[in-house]
């Protein structure tokens, strides 16, 4: 149960946010020391680990430690009770003031799709900011994804100029790009002279915005792996993707309600430095009513035309495979000539494009994506009065576009001030005189037909950046097509219990006590208390605590389903103490359960991620089809999602931000959306004898492997050092 010390901490009205509001020019780190002592450490020692027997009094005390609108489920309270024990040794173990560790909120939107769909939502929130934006990402890479953020800041500055009230919007950006200065000071301020070098606007371009940038890393291994945004202290976004172009399916959730205060406090703690300038809303805490808005009634979501967005995404995936065919003379590994022809292969076309031309085309595909444009409002205060269709490279279908004036999509300029407008945005919540036009456009028939939604279109949507891959699913397969939806517009729901389960970064090598870290305790407790089912999707799965906990759940009769990436970061995972590749780990898990002879291997169901346009998994090393989602749900009741992978780096070193959500309705919608946007369930299952994927699940079926199940030798470990360096620098797409 929570100790009296923890009960007192959670009942206190003291928060880092409130204390900083009284001294807004002080470094956040100084405020932390004044509130909680040096480094945030308390005098109490860590007292307990997870346990099976929770008395009613334990759970009642745990409930008192959160600001919940209704009684949470027993499973949620058991997990939260265990998380609270981490505060005994460090009140800020959760990277948030204790009284804000758990509250409530609603999640009107989730996105499970490629990065452009998530960046479009970021862009829309940024340009509509009234006071402040706080954006954090692990790796900020000059890219189309970074350009849309930069252009959004430019557009925000223009909108501020039309208000005429003299108020500038404050924008804070934090990322991790390793710097030698961080050996002395972890939080390095990036001066305005350095902004353009990473694709940010120059200071003179954004007179309406006060931008401050911090580069944060805790040497040597303490990566800032967080990925989130808070806008106007009203909305928080938590996502799996970095600000870079990667061929990944990612996940983002949009949160509103009291839990946003927890994100706000956590962001300040992460910043650590003095805020220059202070955030305008620092001394103005929001008030939350009893009702929240969903779907078209939510002003933040009105730009979303779910059907049209789905169609654009499918078309984007279709385009990607053409470049791979044009560049790669041999098609996909293991394919016969006949298979290449039936799947749209064209040897003549493949030979017509060299590597450099293919790279340029892949980059252009991202630029052409309709969601990589910024919602525009002219300086006169009126939005563009045209709703255009993209005519470049077939990214939009003329038959379904609105019939009003058509224009060509502007291109994002990664080296200049960029286009700054999006004639494709049906952005009726920013329109004035053109509101009727936007509404009319949205009522056009955008229904998806089988022709719009074929396997080739899915392939085009999934082909991101420097990759292009042909679909191997045929249009007649029932696994494809009409159920592919980037946006999950959640059904209306009351605020549900939500707790933050984060981890602070640890720079020193070694594996600390996992039971002192809220994130790790939440994951282990969820596995321990599961009674029926556990579902996990993560790119990597090798952390030393999670593997035995998963096996124990299987031995108790719990069905554990793992969606993992084949070959994701294999080089980095091969080096000593990293835990091994996914293939190695899964093989060992099945071997152990089979050798025990009790049939528990049937409770472990492992799948390699298989994209929506494919019938077989593809090694992530090819950088053509990856899934970067980080999600766990247990007994169809609770979910844990956010930044953390199930690997050694996330468990023991990186800063991670995650939420524990108590809502069967949301869990069901997430599971449906996750499965709808991939073919993993249909085609990705590995053998429960050795963890190897074979065609059709037959013992004699063709094997698909990346590094294989054998433990890496010395050469493999040496190669792995390269991957390890990339991971620490944030360049590996983690």
């Amino acid at each position: 149960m929570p100790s009296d010390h923890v009960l007192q901490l959670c009942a206190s009205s003291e928060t880092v946010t409130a204390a900083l509001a009284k001294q807004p020019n002080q470094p956040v780190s100084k405020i932390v020391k004044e509130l909680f002592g040096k480094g945030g450490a308390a005098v109490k020692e860590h007292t307990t680990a997870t346990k099976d027997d929770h008395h009613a009094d334990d759970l009642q005390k745990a409930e008192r430690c959160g600001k919940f609108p209704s009684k949470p489920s027993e499973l949620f309270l058991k997990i939260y009770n265990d998380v609270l024990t981490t505060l005994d040794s460090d009140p800020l173990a959760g990277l948030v003031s204790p009284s804000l560790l758990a509250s409530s909120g609603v999640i009107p939107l989730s996105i499970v799709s490629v990065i452009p769909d998530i960046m479009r939502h970021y862009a829309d929130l940024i340009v509509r900011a009234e006071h402040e934006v706080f954006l954090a990402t692990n790796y900020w890479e000059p890219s189309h994804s970074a350009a849309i953020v930069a252009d959004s800041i430019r557009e925000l500055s223009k909108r501020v100029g039309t208000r005429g009230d003299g108020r500038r919007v404050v924008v804070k950006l934090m990322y991790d790009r390793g710097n030698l200065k961080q050996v002395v000071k972890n939080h390095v301020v990036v001066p305005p002279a350095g902004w353009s070098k990473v694709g940010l606007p120059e200071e003179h371009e954004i007179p309406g915005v006060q931008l401050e940038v911090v580069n944060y890393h805790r040497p040597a291994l303490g990566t800032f792996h967080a990925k989130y945004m808070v806008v106007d202290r009203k909305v928080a976004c938590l996502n799996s993707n970095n600000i870079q172009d990667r061929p990944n399916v990612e996940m983002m959730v949009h949160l509103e309600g009291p839990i946003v205060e927890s994100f706000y406090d956590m962001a300040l703690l992460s910043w650590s430095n003095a805020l220059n300038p202070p955030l305008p809303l620092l001394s103005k805490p929001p008030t939350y009513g009893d009702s929240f808005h969903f779907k078209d009634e939510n002003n933040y979501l009105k730009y979303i035309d779910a059907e049209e967005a789905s169609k654009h995404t499918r078309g984007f995936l279709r385009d990607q495979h053409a470049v791979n065919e044009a560049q790669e003379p041999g098609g996909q590994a293991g394919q016969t000539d006949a298979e290449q022809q039936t799947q749209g292969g064209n040897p003549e076309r493949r030979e017509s494009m060299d590597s450099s031309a293919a790279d340029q085309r892949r980059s252009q595909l991202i630029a052409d994506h309709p969601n990589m444009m910024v919602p525009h409002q002219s300086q006169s205060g009126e939005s563009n009065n045209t709703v255009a269709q993209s005519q470049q490279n077939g990214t939009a279908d003329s038959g379904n576009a609105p019939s009003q004036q058509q224009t060509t999509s502007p291109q994002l300029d990664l080296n200049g001030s960029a286009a700054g407008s999006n004639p494709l945005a049906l952005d009726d919540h920013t329109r004035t005189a053109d509101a009727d036009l936007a509404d009319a456009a949205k009522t056009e028939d955008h229904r998806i037909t089988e022709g719009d939604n074929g396997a080739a279109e899915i392939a085009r949507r999934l082909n991101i950046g420097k990759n292009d891959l042909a679909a191997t699913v045929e249009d007649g397969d029932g696994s494809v097509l009409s159920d592919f939806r980037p946006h999950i517009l959640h059904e209306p729901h009351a605020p549900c219990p939500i707790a933050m389960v984060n981890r602070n970064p640890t720079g020193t090598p070694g594996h600390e006590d996992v039971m002192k870290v809220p994130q790790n305790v939440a994951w282990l407790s969820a596995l321990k208390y599961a009674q029926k089912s556990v579902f996990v999707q993560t790119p990597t799965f090798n952390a030393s605590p999670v593997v035995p906990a998963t096996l124990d759940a299987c031995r108790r009769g719990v069905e554990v389903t793992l969606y993992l990436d084949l070959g994701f970061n294999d080089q980095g995972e091969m080096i000593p103490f990293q835990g091994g590749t996914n293939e190695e780990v899964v093989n060992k898990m099945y071997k152990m359960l089979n050798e025990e002879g009790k049939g528990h291997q049937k409770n472990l169901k492992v799948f390699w991620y298989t994209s929506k346009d494919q019938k077989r998994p593809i090694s992530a090393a090819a950088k053509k089809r990856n899934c970067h989602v980080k999600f766990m749900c247990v007994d169809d009741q609770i979910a844990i999602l956010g930044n953390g992978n199930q690997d050694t780096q996330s468990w023991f070193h990186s800063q991670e931000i995650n939420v524990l959500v108590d809502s069967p309705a949301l869990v069901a919608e997430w599971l449906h959306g996750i499965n709808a946007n991939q073919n993993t369930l249909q085609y990705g299952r590995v053998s429960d004898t050795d963890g190897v994927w074979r065609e059709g699940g037959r013992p004699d079926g063709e094997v698909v492997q990346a590094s294989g199940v054998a433990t890496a030798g010395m050469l493999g470990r040496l190669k792995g050092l390269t991957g390890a360096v990339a991971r620490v620098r944030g360049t590996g797409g983690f």
Side-chain angles (χ1 to χ4, degrees), residues 245-248 320 324 328 362 462-469 566-569 618-626 726 731-734:
D245 297 339
R246 287 292 184 270
N248 298 341
Q320 286 185 344
N324 279 352
E328 298 175 0
R362 289 161 182 153
L462 287 171
N463 286 325
I464 298 286
K466 298 181 178 180
N467 97 92
D468 212 339
L469 184 68
L566 175 65
F568 194 94
N569 191 40
I618 296 171
S619 173
K623 301 186 185 303
K624 296 177 181 177
R625 293 290 187 273
N626 301 337
T731 58
F734 309 105

Side-chain angles (χ1 to χ4, degrees), residues 141-206:
E141 180 178 66
S143 58
H144 294 286
S145 295
I148 194 173
V149 175
D151 278 357
S152 298
I153 296 173
R154 293 183 180 99
E155 174 65 18
L156 171 61
S157 179
K158 292 177 184 178
R159 296 190 183 197
V160 169
T162 67
R163 296 174 185 169
D165 58 9
R167 272 191 305 109
R168 300 165 73 188
V169 173
V170 174
V171 176
K172 306 292 183 184
L173 171 64
M174 186 159 57
Y175 56 64
D176 184 340
R177 290 172 63 94
N179 188 304
L180 287 175
K181 294 179 181 179
Q182 291 163 333
V183 175
V184 178
K185 182 177 176 60
N186 298 164
H187 297 78
V188 176
V189 175
V190 181
W195 294 351
S196 63
K197 296 177 182 177
V198 293
L200 286 166
E202 295 187 33
E203 197 169 18
H204 68 86
E205 295 181 76
I206 49 172

Side-chain angles (χ1 to χ4, degrees), residues 404-624:
Q404 286 85 0
Q405 180 179 349
Q406 298 176 354
T407 67
T408 301
S409 303
Q411 296 303 300
L412 294 175
D413 180 0
L414 295 179
N415 300 312
S417 60
S421 66
N422 180 11
L424 290 160
L426 300 184
D427 200 7
D428 60 3
H429 59 263
T430 62
R431 297 180 188 275
T432 53
D434 298 316
D436 292 340
L437 173 62
D439 289 338
K442 280 196 171 186
T443 62
E444 292 288 325
D445 186 1
H446 294 313
R447 290 173 295 178
I448 304 301
T449 67
E450 187 74 8
D452 292 325
N453 201 20
E457 291 214 28
I458 299 285
R460 184 179 68 176
R461 182 68 167 185
L462 287 171
N463 286 325
I464 298 286
K466 298 181 178 180
N467 97 92
D468 212 339
L469 184 68
T472 60
V473 168
E474 298 177 3
D475 287 345
D477 292 339
S479 60
V480 195
L481 318 184
S482 59
D483 58 346
F484 187 94
R485 292 290 186 274
H487 299 89
I488 304 173
L489 292 165
H490 292 287
E491 293 299 321
H493 54 271
C496 60
I498 303 177
M500 300 205 79
V501 287
N502 307 327
R503 70 154 286 125
N504 276 291
T506 302
T508 55
H511 296 175
E512 85 255 79
D513 183 356
V514 297
M515 303 313 295
K516 292 184 178 181
V517 179
Q519 167 195 262
N520 301 349
V521 170
W523 282 336
L524 289 177
S525 296
L527 285 163
K528 190 177 186 69
Y529 304 136
Q531 296 182 357
K532 299 180 297 181
S533 64
V534 174
F535 173 87
V536 175
Q537 179 143 36
T538 177
T540 43
F541 188 89
N542 62 12
S544 55
V546 75
V547 173
T550 299
L551 293 174
D552 286 345
C554 293
R555 294 181 183 111
R556 298 197 316 270
V558 175
E559 183 179 284
V560 179
T561 301
L562 306 179
Y563 284 7
L564 313 177
D565 281 15
L566 175 65
F568 194 94
N569 191 40
D570 275 6
Q571 288 190 356
E573 307 301 344
M574 287 178 182
I575 67 174
F577 310 114
Q578 284 300 108
T581 69
N582 286 339
E583 287 174 285
E584 292 172 3
V585 171
V586 170
N587 173 260
K588 290 176 182 177
M589 291 172 73
Y590 275 122
K591 182 178 180 181
M592 186 176 297
L593 292 175
N594 276 287
E595 287 178 350
E596 291 171 1
K598 298 182 179 180
H600 295 142
Q601 71 276 8
K602 300 298 182 183
N603 294 327
L604 179 62
K605 303 181 187 302
V606 178
F607 299 75
W608 297 141
Y609 167 70
T610 306
S611 66
K612 192 65 177 174
D613 63 325
Q614 300 294 309
K615 278 189 174 181
R616 57 168 56 194
I618 296 171
S619 173
K623 301 186 185 303
K624 296 177 181 177

Side-chain angles (χ1 to χ4, degrees), residues 315-329 331-332 343-354 357-358 361-362 365 393 455-465 467-471 613-614 624-625:
F316 187 54
L317 299 176
R318 181 187 65 194
D319 274 351
Q320 286 185 344
H321 82 263
V323 176
N324 279 352
E325 289 180 336
Q327 181 188 355
E328 298 175 0
Q332 296 179 44
Q343 293 164 15
N346 186 334
E348 198 171 299
R349 185 179 180 187
R350 284 196 300 271
E351 296 168 1
S352 67
M353 186 179 292
D354 61 21
R361 176 69 183 120
R362 289 161 182 153
L365 286 176
N393 307 303
E457 291 214 28
I458 299 285
R460 184 179 68 176
R461 182 68 167 185
L462 287 171
N463 286 325
I464 298 286
N467 97 92
D468 212 339
L469 184 68
D613 63 325
Q614 300 294 309
K624 296 177 181 177
R625 293 290 187 273

